[in-house]
Amino acid sequence: MRIRIVDAFADRPFTGNPAGVLLLDDVFPDDDWLQNVAMEVNHAETAFAHPLPEGGDADWALRWFTPVTEVAMCGHATLATAHVLHTTGAHEGPVRFATRSGVLIATPGADGSLTLDFPTAPLTPAELPAGVAEALGAQPLAAFDTGPGIGDLLVELADEKTVLGLSPDHKALGAYSARGLIATARAEEPARGYDYVSRCFFPNVGIDEDPVTGSAHTALAPYWSPRLGSDDLTGLQASRRTGLVRTGLRGARTLLTGHAVTVIEGDLRA
């Protein structure tokens, strides 16, 4: 079968977040095979999708695997899958994915972008666990739980420079949440084209630092929109690869918009 590597939340190769994408003809193979393929691809996520019968609530079934485990939600691999469906002609127009997080919709834009419709993460103020500042290497100003769907601890730091300069103890960070930690701060100069910055560390799913995380922005959008006075913002995920995510807070749903680029296409022979 064909396998593709797609850089998501990117408008040029070697930026954004790479994801493996496999379009299957029928039902999912056994979980061990799916996990082994994801381990072989060795990107933050590999997405597997197969078409569903017409007339249902969704068009394609979709699952995501990191190199070590299946995850309940992944934004960048959903964007990558929608990109493959549209660029190969396998699907036209909005595509509805049946996932562990419910039906997720990806809608193509006239500019070549794709907009994902995801559930907004419920943010709950949390006491900062002892040891987080030491593990992160910076003192958070506030901490929030992002709910079971995301499973991260979100912390605001003093400024953009502090977020960019983080060099955390990844193993230690794994003790404070189900998936990992989102560190964020206001943009120092919004005129540069983004309103807030973030970095995401997910040691519990085998990803020390995720390049660009769509799911994290379902928590970043409800965090920053009321503080910055706009439902429509742009976040810069300041990993080494970097990527921009346009966020639109719509109550219980959050829209995530970005581009994607296919960089590798080949045959999977296993």
Side-chain angles (χ1 to χ4, degrees):
M1 67 186 69
R2 301 298 284 172
I3 183 170
R4 297 166 176 87
I5 305 298
V6 177
D7 289 345
F9 294 112
D11 57 6
R12 63 189 188 280
F14 314 127
T15 60
N17 199 350
V21 178
L22 288 94
L23 302 183
L24 310 171
D25 292 332
D26 205 341
V27 297
F28 294 114
D30 66 80
D31 288 2
D32 287 344
W33 185 86
L34 297 172
Q35 188 62 72
N36 282 332
V37 172
M39 180 177 63
E40 189 79 9
V41 172
N42 200 34
H43 284 314
E45 264 86 17
T46 298
F48 302 89
H50 70 75
L52 294 171
E54 294 184 4
D57 293 333
D59 307 300
W60 289 74
L62 178 62
R63 295 172 70 181
W64 315 276
F65 288 76
T66 77
V68 299
T69 190
E70 185 174 8
V71 296
M73 180 186 293
C74 180
H76 86 277
T78 304
L79 187 77
T81 305
H83 169 79
V84 170
L85 289 171
H86 286 101
T87 56
T88 62
H91 191 91
E92 295 182 358
V95 54
R96 301 167 299 166
F97 293 109
T99 78
R100 288 173 56 181
S101 295
V103 175
L104 307 176
I105 302 173
T107 303
D111 62 351
S113 66
L114 287 156
T115 296
L116 308 179
D117 183 333
F118 271 41
T120 300
L123 296 182
T124 305
E127 289 190 16
L128 188 69
V132 168
E134 292 75 12
L136 188 60
Q139 181 62 50
L141 303 179
F144 291 80
D145 181 84
T146 60
I150 303 299
D152 298 330
L153 181 69
L154 185 151
V155 297
E156 182 183 354
L157 301 183
D159 50 36
E160 180 177 335
K161 182 179 179 180
T162 301
V163 173
L164 270 58
L166 292 174
S167 182
D169 181 337
H170 296 104
K171 184 177 181 180
L173 284 181
Y176 302 111
S177 62
R179 182 172 70 166
L181 183 142
I182 305 166
T184 188
R186 293 172 184 257
E188 291 182 4
E189 297 182 35
R192 292 180 177 175
Y194 55 91
D195 302 289
Y196 57 89
V197 298
S198 66
R199 289 176 67 188
C200 295
F201 308 104
F202 303 141
N204 290 338
V205 293
I207 305 165
D208 283 348
E209 180 168 5
D210 199 32
V212 189
T213 314
S215 59
H217 285 77
T218 67
L220 290 162
Y223 185 76
W224 285 115
S225 283
R227 289 165 174 79
L228 299 178
S230 175
D231 287 339
D232 298 294
L233 300 171
T234 298
L236 169 70
Q237 192 155 331
S239 65
R240 181 178 178 182
R241 294 175 63 101
T242 75
L244 293 173
V245 182
R246 302 203 308 268
T247 56
L249 185 62
R250 303 293 184 266
R253 309 295 294 185
T254 293
L255 305 181
L256 310 171
T257 301
H259 290 77
V261 181
T262 300
V263 293
I264 297 173
E265 181 175 351
D267 293 324
L268 178 66
R269 298 181 179 275

mmCIF file of all heavy atoms in Angstrom, residues 109-138:
data_model
loop_
_atom_site.group_PDB
_atom_site.id
_atom_site.type_symbol
_atom_site.label_atom_id
_atom_site.label_comp_id
_atom_site.label_asym_id
_atom_site.label_seq_id
_atom_site.Cartn_x
_atom_site.Cartn_y
_atom_site.Cartn_z
ATOM 1 N N GLY A 109 -9.940 25.106 2.240
ATOM 2 C CA GLY A 109 -10.139 26.521 1.968
ATOM 3 C C GLY A 109 -9.685 26.881 0.566
ATOM 4 O O GLY A 109 -8.931 26.140 -0.077
ATOM 5 N N ALA A 110 -10.124 28.046 0.082
ATOM 6 C CA ALA A 110 -9.769 28.479 -1.269
ATOM 7 C C ALA A 110 -8.277 28.728 -1.418
ATOM 8 O O ALA A 110 -7.733 28.650 -2.531
ATOM 9 C CB ALA A 110 -10.549 29.752 -1.616
ATOM 10 N N ASP A 111 -7.594 29.002 -0.303
ATOM 11 C CA ASP A 111 -6.156 29.289 -0.350
ATOM 12 C C ASP A 111 -5.298 28.032 -0.199
ATOM 13 O O ASP A 111 -4.084 28.123 -0.065
ATOM 14 C CB ASP A 111 -5.781 30.297 0.733
ATOM 15 C CG ASP A 111 -6.059 29.781 2.143
ATOM 16 O OD1 ASP A 111 -6.700 28.710 2.275
ATOM 17 O OD2 ASP A 111 -5.645 30.445 3.113
ATOM 18 N N GLY A 112 -5.939 26.869 -0.233
ATOM 19 C CA GLY A 112 -5.199 25.627 -0.074
ATOM 20 C C GLY A 112 -5.053 25.167 1.358
ATOM 21 O O GLY A 112 -4.490 24.095 1.606
ATOM 22 N N SER A 113 -5.539 25.948 2.303
ATOM 23 C CA SER A 113 -5.470 25.559 3.708
ATOM 24 C C SER A 113 -6.553 24.544 4.027
ATOM 25 O O SER A 113 -7.462 24.289 3.223
ATOM 26 C CB SER A 113 -5.625 26.780 4.612
ATOM 27 O OG SER A 113 -6.937 27.324 4.488
ATOM 28 N N LEU A 114 -6.464 23.967 5.205
ATOM 29 C CA LEU A 114 -7.486 23.070 5.725
ATOM 30 C C LEU A 114 -7.857 23.528 7.125
ATOM 31 O O LEU A 114 -6.976 23.916 7.908
ATOM 32 C CB LEU A 114 -6.976 21.629 5.773
ATOM 33 C CG LEU A 114 -6.850 20.934 4.420
ATOM 34 C CD1 LEU A 114 -5.837 19.805 4.503
ATOM 35 C CD2 LEU A 114 -8.202 20.400 3.957
ATOM 36 N N THR A 115 -9.152 23.499 7.438
ATOM 37 C CA THR A 115 -9.625 23.888 8.758
ATOM 38 C C THR A 115 -10.239 22.692 9.453
ATOM 39 O O THR A 115 -11.165 22.062 8.927
ATOM 40 C CB THR A 115 -10.643 25.031 8.676
ATOM 41 O OG1 THR A 115 -10.004 26.191 8.138
ATOM 42 C CG2 THR A 115 -11.194 25.364 10.055
ATOM 43 N N LEU A 116 -9.714 22.380 10.627
ATOM 44 C CA LEU A 116 -10.209 21.272 11.437
ATOM 45 C C LEU A 116 -11.216 21.792 12.460
ATOM 46 O O LEU A 116 -11.003 22.844 13.065
ATOM 47 C CB LEU A 116 -9.060 20.591 12.176
ATOM 48 C CG LEU A 116 -7.854 20.145 11.336
ATOM 49 C CD1 LEU A 116 -6.805 19.516 12.241
ATOM 50 C CD2 LEU A 116 -8.286 19.187 10.241
ATOM 51 N N ASP A 117 -12.273 21.059 12.659
ATOM 52 C CA ASP A 117 -13.291 21.376 13.659
ATOM 53 C C ASP A 117 -13.147 20.355 14.786
ATOM 54 O O ASP A 117 -13.536 19.197 14.639
ATOM 55 C CB ASP A 117 -14.674 21.304 13.016
ATOM 56 C CG ASP A 117 -15.798 21.686 13.963
ATOM 57 O OD1 ASP A 117 -15.635 21.519 15.194
ATOM 58 O OD2 ASP A 117 -16.854 22.130 13.486
ATOM 59 N N PHE A 118 -12.581 20.793 15.925
ATOM 60 C CA PHE A 118 -12.259 19.920 17.052
ATOM 61 C C PHE A 118 -13.006 20.379 18.301
ATOM 62 O O PHE A 118 -13.391 21.541 18.416
ATOM 63 C CB PHE A 118 -10.748 19.965 17.335
ATOM 64 C CG PHE A 118 -9.935 18.961 16.564
ATOM 65 C CD1 PHE A 118 -10.191 18.696 15.233
ATOM 66 C CD2 PHE A 118 -8.894 18.288 17.177
ATOM 67 C CE1 PHE A 118 -9.443 17.783 14.526
ATOM 68 C CE2 PHE A 118 -8.135 17.367 16.482
ATOM 69 C CZ PHE A 118 -8.405 17.105 15.149
ATOM 70 N N PRO A 119 -13.207 19.484 19.265
ATOM 71 C CA PRO A 119 -13.799 19.904 20.539
ATOM 72 C C PRO A 119 -12.845 20.803 21.319
ATOM 73 O O PRO A 119 -11.632 20.565 21.362
ATOM 74 C CB PRO A 119 -14.048 18.583 21.274
ATOM 75 C CG PRO A 119 -13.122 17.602 20.642
ATOM 76 C CD PRO A 119 -12.954 18.030 19.210
ATOM 77 N N THR A 120 -13.393 21.838 21.923
ATOM 78 C CA THR A 120 -12.596 22.726 22.767
ATOM 79 C C THR A 120 -12.245 22.018 24.072
ATOM 80 O O THR A 120 -13.102 21.395 24.699
ATOM 81 C CB THR A 120 -13.375 24.014 23.070
ATOM 82 O OG1 THR A 120 -13.679 24.675 21.831
ATOM 83 C CG2 THR A 120 -12.582 24.948 23.965
ATOM 84 N N ALA A 121 -11.001 22.118 24.473
ATOM 85 C CA ALA A 121 -10.568 21.489 25.724
ATOM 86 C C ALA A 121 -11.124 22.251 26.916
ATOM 87 O O ALA A 121 -11.087 23.489 26.942
ATOM 88 C CB ALA A 121 -9.047 21.454 25.794
ATOM 89 N N PRO A 122 -11.631 21.543 27.935
ATOM 90 C CA PRO A 122 -12.104 22.216 29.153
ATOM 91 C C PRO A 122 -10.919 22.558 30.061
ATOM 92 O O PRO A 122 -10.193 21.671 30.512
ATOM 93 C CB PRO A 122 -13.003 21.154 29.798
ATOM 94 C CG PRO A 122 -12.418 19.852 29.342
ATOM 95 C CD PRO A 122 -11.843 20.084 27.971
ATOM 96 N N LEU A 123 -10.710 23.828 30.316
ATOM 97 C CA LEU A 123 -9.589 24.260 31.153
ATOM 98 C C LEU A 123 -10.038 24.419 32.592
ATOM 99 O O LEU A 123 -11.048 25.072 32.873
ATOM 100 C CB LEU A 123 -9.023 25.587 30.651
ATOM 101 C CG LEU A 123 -8.393 25.591 29.260
ATOM 102 C CD1 LEU A 123 -7.851 26.974 28.937
ATOM 103 C CD2 LEU A 123 -7.288 24.546 29.151
ATOM 104 N N THR A 124 -9.288 23.834 33.503
ATOM 105 C CA THR A 124 -9.570 23.942 34.925
ATOM 106 C C THR A 124 -8.325 24.433 35.637
ATOM 107 O O THR A 124 -7.258 23.821 35.505
ATOM 108 C CB THR A 124 -9.978 22.572 35.514
ATOM 109 O OG1 THR A 124 -11.077 22.037 34.773
ATOM 110 C CG2 THR A 124 -10.353 22.708 36.976
ATOM 111 N N PRO A 125 -8.416 25.559 36.390
ATOM 112 C CA PRO A 125 -7.237 26.006 37.136
ATOM 113 C C PRO A 125 -6.716 24.909 38.048
ATOM 114 O O PRO A 125 -7.487 24.170 38.667
ATOM 115 C CB PRO A 125 -7.763 27.199 37.943
ATOM 116 C CG PRO A 125 -8.961 27.679 37.169
ATOM 117 C CD PRO A 125 -9.575 26.448 36.580
ATOM 118 N N ALA A 126 -5.407 24.791 38.105
ATOM 119 C CA ALA A 126 -4.785 23.733 38.899
ATOM 120 C C ALA A 126 -3.660 24.318 39.744
ATOM 121 O O ALA A 126 -3.000 25.284 39.336
ATOM 122 C CB ALA A 126 -4.231 22.638 37.988
ATOM 123 N N GLU A 127 -3.469 23.723 40.908
ATOM 124 C CA GLU A 127 -2.299 24.091 41.690
ATOM 125 C C GLU A 127 -1.061 23.534 41.003
ATOM 126 O O GLU A 127 -1.071 22.411 40.497
ATOM 127 C CB GLU A 127 -2.401 23.526 43.110
ATOM 128 C CG GLU A 127 -3.448 24.203 43.967
ATOM 129 C CD GLU A 127 -3.349 23.780 45.427
ATOM 130 O OE1 GLU A 127 -2.295 23.215 45.806
ATOM 131 O OE2 GLU A 127 -4.312 24.007 46.165
ATOM 132 N N LEU A 128 -0.022 24.331 40.985
ATOM 133 C CA LEU A 128 1.200 23.893 40.334
ATOM 134 C C LEU A 128 1.829 22.770 41.147
ATOM 135 O O LEU A 128 2.166 22.952 42.320
ATOM 136 C CB LEU A 128 2.181 25.055 40.208
ATOM 137 C CG LEU A 128 3.432 24.769 39.374
ATOM 138 C CD1 LEU A 128 3.055 24.613 37.905
ATOM 139 C CD2 LEU A 128 4.449 25.890 39.553
ATOM 140 N N PRO A 129 1.966 21.576 40.565
ATOM 141 C CA PRO A 129 2.561 20.476 41.321
ATOM 142 C C PRO A 129 4.003 20.780 41.717
ATOM 143 O O PRO A 129 4.742 21.435 40.966
ATOM 144 C CB PRO A 129 2.497 19.297 40.336
ATOM 145 C CG PRO A 129 1.441 19.681 39.349
ATOM 146 C CD PRO A 129 1.524 21.156 39.225
ATOM 147 N N ALA A 130 4.384 20.317 42.868
ATOM 148 C CA ALA A 130 5.758 20.496 43.322
ATOM 149 C C ALA A 130 6.706 19.812 42.350
ATOM 150 O O ALA A 130 6.476 18.677 41.934
ATOM 151 C CB ALA A 130 5.931 19.914 44.722
ATOM 152 N N GLY A 131 7.738 20.506 41.958
ATOM 153 C CA GLY A 131 8.750 19.942 41.079
ATOM 154 C C GLY A 131 8.606 20.323 39.628
ATOM 155 O O GLY A 131 9.539 20.113 38.835
ATOM 156 N N VAL A 132 7.451 20.881 39.219
ATOM 157 C CA VAL A 132 7.264 21.234 37.815
ATOM 158 C C VAL A 132 8.248 22.313 37.378
ATOM 159 O O VAL A 132 8.859 22.222 36.305
ATOM 160 C CB VAL A 132 5.818 21.692 37.548
ATOM 161 C CG1 VAL A 132 5.703 22.333 36.171
ATOM 162 C CG2 VAL A 132 4.864 20.523 37.638
ATOM 163 N N ALA A 133 8.411 23.347 38.186
ATOM 164 C CA ALA A 133 9.322 24.434 37.810
ATOM 165 C C ALA A 133 10.740 23.917 37.617
ATOM 166 O O ALA A 133 11.433 24.307 36.671
ATOM 167 C CB ALA A 133 9.291 25.540 38.864
ATOM 168 N N GLU A 134 11.169 23.025 38.491
ATOM 169 C CA GLU A 134 12.526 22.478 38.375
ATOM 170 C C GLU A 134 12.652 21.613 37.116
ATOM 171 O O GLU A 134 13.652 21.691 36.386
ATOM 172 C CB GLU A 134 12.871 21.653 39.613
ATOM 173 C CG GLU A 134 13.028 22.455 40.888
ATOM 174 C CD GLU A 134 11.710 22.921 41.496
ATOM 175 O OE1 GLU A 134 10.632 22.425 41.055
ATOM 176 O OE2 GLU A 134 11.734 23.780 42.402
ATOM 177 N N ALA A 135 11.640 20.782 36.838
ATOM 178 C CA ALA A 135 11.689 19.922 35.663
ATOM 179 C C ALA A 135 11.620 20.727 34.366
ATOM 180 O O ALA A 135 12.265 20.391 33.374
ATOM 181 C CB ALA A 135 10.549 18.911 35.709
ATOM 182 N N LEU A 136 10.845 21.795 34.382
ATOM 183 C CA LEU A 136 10.688 22.622 33.198
ATOM 184 C C LEU A 136 11.866 23.574 33.007
ATOM 185 O O LEU A 136 12.225 23.908 31.876
ATOM 186 C CB LEU A 136 9.383 23.413 33.301
ATOM 187 C CG LEU A 136 8.932 24.214 32.076
ATOM 188 C CD1 LEU A 136 8.729 23.296 30.869
ATOM 189 C CD2 LEU A 136 7.635 24.962 32.395
ATOM 190 N N GLY A 137 12.429 24.027 34.109
ATOM 191 C CA GLY A 137 13.520 24.998 34.033
ATOM 192 C C GLY A 137 13.040 26.430 34.011
ATOM 193 O O GLY A 137 13.777 27.336 33.624
ATOM 194 N N ALA A 138 11.795 26.670 34.441
ATOM 195 C CA ALA A 138 11.229 28.015 34.511
ATOM 196 C C ALA A 138 10.055 27.990 35.472
ATOM 197 O O ALA A 138 9.403 26.959 35.641
ATOM 198 C CB ALA A 138 10.773 28.503 33.138
#
